[in-house]
Structure formats: structure tokens, C-alpha cells
Amino acid sequence: ETLDKGLEKTKTTFLDKLGKAVAGKSKVDADVLDDLEDVLISSDVGVATTIKVIDRIEERVAKDKYLGTTELNGILRDEIAGLLSEVNNGDATDFTIPQQDGPYVVMVVGVNGVGKTTTIGKLAHQFKQKGLKVVLGAGDTFRAAAVDQLQIWADRVGVEIVKQDMGSDPASVAFDTLQSAVAQNADVVLLDTAGRLHNKVNLMNELTKVKRVMQKIIPNAPHDVMLVLDGSTGQNAFEQAKQFTAATEVSSLAVTKLDGTAKGGVVIGISDQFQIPVRYIGVGEGVDDLQVFNKSEFVDSFFN
Ligand code: GDP
């Protein structure tokens, strides 16, 4: 229900455009495919993924010789679900951290303002609700506000936070956080990182250093590098995904602010283009407005 509400704008805009593309046409011909291409691109699905989808539909049209426009909705839904299936295994309704010795470490990356802190706070809440012990690490030491915001979330949710003075070395905060988490027998560490994208080499060096220092305490940490992207920024989110995947190995995505935007198509394009599973989507500012990404539900709320 929250998901439907969260994606309302994406859905109505998309279906409206799709309706216009096929209006007055009975079969899927080159014109309709052309218009469909425009619809997908303008819905922020991304050019590469759009071309892939159009090619597949074209193949089906050629094979079946004739395809009515009334069937197009269902076929498009199938193709998009198919794309999402390739990277997002199964239909998750929950995310369970793998069984292991010691804390499960999530390093959270992304540029400032995308909703990194909020996502960490919401995640901390979800894990805590499951009875897990959570430790937050305030690794964005470049902005005082980032540490303050994380502290507010830690208090609100009732979890531990490890922080240092502003301007201290993020790697040192990471080290302290893991040390504290191990000492407390914590289950999950959510480590915030600085969201500066001033240049690629610096970003890479910074993240590499943070990882290396964490590995002094937990050799295979981080277990997940989660990139947070603001879904309402459309093509900017693609650009950020490009930069972060070049700088470090990103293993999951959280796409925020899908409520109130018509750009929800980014979820499809980014997941497909970068072959990274979307683990969470943000559909509001509240503590409960973070959902485990479920591809079928997502596609359904798009098309139904
Ligand atoms: P950070 O700089 O990346 O840590 O960003 P913040 O977590 O501080 O979030 C920036 C703003 O986006 C805040 O006002 C959040 O309340 C808001 N925000 C974060 N996630 C969502 C979301 O899923 N939906 C909406 N509507 N707002 C969000």
C-alpha cells in the first residue's frame, strides 16, 4: 500500500504517456515502438535499458507477426520484470543478514543530500525491530551536520553510534566503529561515509583506505557496499552510479525519494545497466518509509 502510494506519480505519468503513445493505434508498428522508446527514455529508464527493452519487444512483434496495442502493456511489464529478475534474485519481502561470526558490516556510500543518513536511520530501525544489535559509524567527518544528523537518528531509534570530532580521519572512525561493534558483540554495523565526489581518484583512495582499515579488524568487511541514490534526480543518479561503481565495488543499491517523483523508472535502468541489485527503496521521510525492494511488487505498482 505504501509502495503504491510512493510510486503514484511515476505510475500515473508513465501510464498516461504510454496511453498517448498507443492512442488510436491497433497494432504495434514502428511508429508505436518509436513512441514507446520516447516514453521509456522520458521516464528515466535510461537509454541503454530502453534500447534493450525495445529490441526485445520488436523481436516479439516480428515473431508473432502481429501484436495489438492492448497487449503492449502486459508485454512491457513482462520485459521489465525480466530485466529486473536478472539482477534481483527472487521476490524479496525481507532482507536477512547472512549468518556469520561477528558483525555484518554495511558501508553506505553516496553523495550528500541523497538521503544517506535517513536511509541509515531507517535501516537501523528495521534491524533493531528484528532484535539485532546495531552500531552506527559516523564516517562522514567532513560535515558537522552529517554527524549531528546521524546522532539524532541514533537517539531516535535507540542504537549505539561511534563518532569522532569533525575533520578526523574517516578511516579512523571506521576502525573505532568496528572495534566497538566487535567488543559489544553487535550484529550489524552501518557505516556512513563522506559523500564528496570532488574527483574520482580521491573518492577511490578514500573508500579504499576505509575498507583497508576495517579489514584489520574484520578481514572480509565490508560485507555490503550500499550505494544510496536519490531517485528523483533521474539522470544524475545514473551519473553517480557510474562514478561510485568506478571508485569501489558497489554490491547493493538503495533508491530514495521515489515518493513525489515521476522518475521511478531510474530503478529499472540503474539496476539493469550496472547489474547491481536494488535492495531498498525510500518512499518517504518517516522511519518506516524504507522498503525491501520486491521486483514483482514494484512492476505491479507501475502497471496496475
Ligand atoms: P544525506 O545528506 O545523503 O545524508 O541526506 P539526508 O539523509 O540528510 O536526507 C536529505 C533529505 O532527504 C532529508 O530532508 C530527508 O528527510 C529526505 N529524504 C530522505 N529519504 C527520503 C525519501 O525516501 N523520501 C522523501 N520524500 N524524502 C527523503
Side-chain angles (χ1 to χ4, degrees), residues 117-257:
T117 314
T118 307
T119 302
I120 291 173
K122 291 168 173 174
L123 275 176
H125 173 69
Q126 286 191 7
F127 286 128
K128 194 177 174 197
Q129 296 278 89
K130 290 182 176 180
L132 300 173
K133 188 168 176 57
V134 182
V135 175
L136 306 184
D140 185 353
T141 58
F142 295 95
R143 292 184 305 159
V147 179
D148 295 346
Q149 279 300 114
L150 202 64
Q151 178 72 64
I152 290 171
W153 273 104
D155 294 341
R156 183 182 299 167
V157 174
V159 296
E160 292 280 322
I161 179 170
V162 175
K163 59 182 186 179
Q164 290 180 5
D165 291 338
M166 203 191 108
S168 53
D169 187 346
S172 159
V173 176
F175 186 87
D176 276 4
T177 306
L178 263 59
Q179 205 167 42
S180 164
V182 169
Q184 297 180 60
N185 246 323
D187 300 297
V188 188
V189 170
L190 302 171
L191 180 75
D192 193 12
T193 58
R196 303 181 307 164
L197 252 191
H198 47 305
N199 81 59
K200 207 155 90 187
V201 176
N202 280 357
L203 179 71
M204 196 185 304
N205 289 344
E206 224 160 78
L207 296 176
T208 305
K209 185 177 172 195
V210 169
K211 278 187 181 176
R212 198 177 62 234
V213 169
M214 284 200 276
Q215 287 162 2
K216 289 183 198 289
I217 299 176
I218 302 176
N220 59 346
H223 305 95
D224 184 20
V225 177
M226 181 182 292
L227 172 63
V228 182
L229 297 169
D230 177 344
S232 71
T233 62
Q235 293 312 298
N236 277 344
F238 274 86
E239 193 49 42
Q240 288 163 20
K242 209 193 246 169
Q243 305 213 31
F244 275 94
T245 51
T248 192
E249 205 170 307
V250 175
S251 45
S252 69
L253 300 174
V255 184
T256 64
K257 307 189 199 181

Side-chain angles (χ1 to χ4, degrees), residues 111-118 122 143 256-257 259 282-285:
V111 305
N112 297 337
V114 293
K116 215 156 26 98
T117 314
T118 307
K122 291 168 173 174
R143 292 184 305 159
T256 64
K257 307 189 199 181
D259 53 307
V283 292
E285 295 187 89

